[in-house]
Amino acid sequence: MIVYDFDPNGIPDDYLRAIGRVMLCAAQAEDSVRTAIGVFLKIDNIETLALTNQLSGPLKDKILRAAAELNAASASMVDTLDDILDDINEAMVSRNAYAHRSLCRHPDTGEVLIWKEKVSGSIELELQAITLAEINAVGDKLLEASHRLTIFLQLCGGPKNREIALRDPLKRTKAARNERRSAHGDHY
């Protein structure tokens, strides 16, 4: 019987570094998608942040595709954007494996494996060997697609920076609202 080592401290540093890079590349890709939503909705960067901050990746993707279809200058621009988003989504599926699954090491060979489970009518369990090259390829694909999206957005006019100054954040409790109304009336 083989007892695999699932302690994260046992995973080699180069694997941990590669997985961390994948996560950072994914974050950059998500930020590029968020920026693209603002570009196609023709809103500034702060409005874009306020609108998209709590959205899931798949929802951002759907909103961006709809906004581009409504506001892109041509169908070829929509097709180009769809190609880029398809590449990002494909790489994000691979990224999710590293973000949501356990890694382990073979106790004798030191080989790094990923634990995969599939539950869809029946249960399938598998330990699959992974290489640094496979992990790095996911990061590379995310980074390349993110760069393509950034360049594409510049060709579309780029994101708009906020021109109106932000007010200080308001305390949003009912008590704070009542206090402001008492101090300043209805218009402040």
Side-chain angles (χ1 to χ4, degrees):
M1 182 170 113
I2 299 172
V3 178
Y4 292 91
D5 180 5
F6 280 88
D7 182 353
N9 293 313
I11 303 300
D13 286 345
D14 48 354
Y15 276 79
L16 296 175
R17 194 170 26 260
I19 290 169
R21 180 177 172 269
V22 167
M23 297 309 140
L24 291 173
C25 291
Q28 182 175 2
E30 280 196 64
D31 189 57
S32 295
V33 170
R34 176 188 8 224
T35 298
I37 290 170
V39 168
F40 283 100
L41 289 179
K42 301 175 183 175
I43 59 178
D44 71 44
N45 57 341
I46 300 301
E47 291 168 316
T48 301
L49 182 63
L51 176 69
T52 62
N53 192 48
Q54 298 296 318
L55 300 179
S56 67
L59 188 53
K60 287 176 193 161
D61 176 82
K62 287 180 171 116
I63 290 169
L64 174 52
R65 289 176 194 261
E69 187 170 333
L70 291 171
N71 294 321
S74 66
S76 66
M77 286 179 74
V78 175
D79 289 344
T80 299
L81 178 62
D82 284 345
D83 289 339
I84 295 168
L85 292 176
D86 289 348
D87 287 345
I88 289 173
N89 290 335
E90 182 181 311
M92 287 300 245
V93 169
S94 298
R95 170 257 179 216
N96 289 343
Y98 303 118
H100 302 293
R101 294 189 176 139
S102 295
L103 297 183
C104 64
R105 279 189 36 222
H106 190 287
D108 299 324
T109 66
E111 181 179 42
V112 178
L113 304 110
I114 189 165
W115 176 255
K116 293 186 171 188
E117 63 259 344
K118 182 178 178 185
V119 181
S120 180
S122 63
I123 297 175
E124 297 175 35
L125 306 173
E126 177 185 12
L127 273 176
Q128 181 180 23
I130 57 168
T131 65
L132 277 173
E134 291 170 317
I135 298 169
N136 284 323
V138 173
D140 292 344
K141 186 166 187 172
L142 283 165
L143 190 59
E144 189 270 333
S146 178
H147 286 162
R148 284 179 31 228
L149 182 53
T150 299
I151 291 166
F152 175 75
L153 294 177
Q154 292 305 317
L155 296 173
C156 295
K160 291 179 6 184
N161 289 322
R162 181 137 185 113
E163 295 179 7
I164 302 167
L166 293 175
R167 70 168 54 99
D168 289 334
L170 296 171
K171 291 182 181 171
R172 304 290 293 274
T173 64
K174 187 172 185 172
R177 290 192 302 271
N178 288 336
E179 185 178 315
R180 282 193 294 273
R181 287 182 181 120
S182 293
H184 304 287
D186 288 335
H187 302 284
Y188 47 92

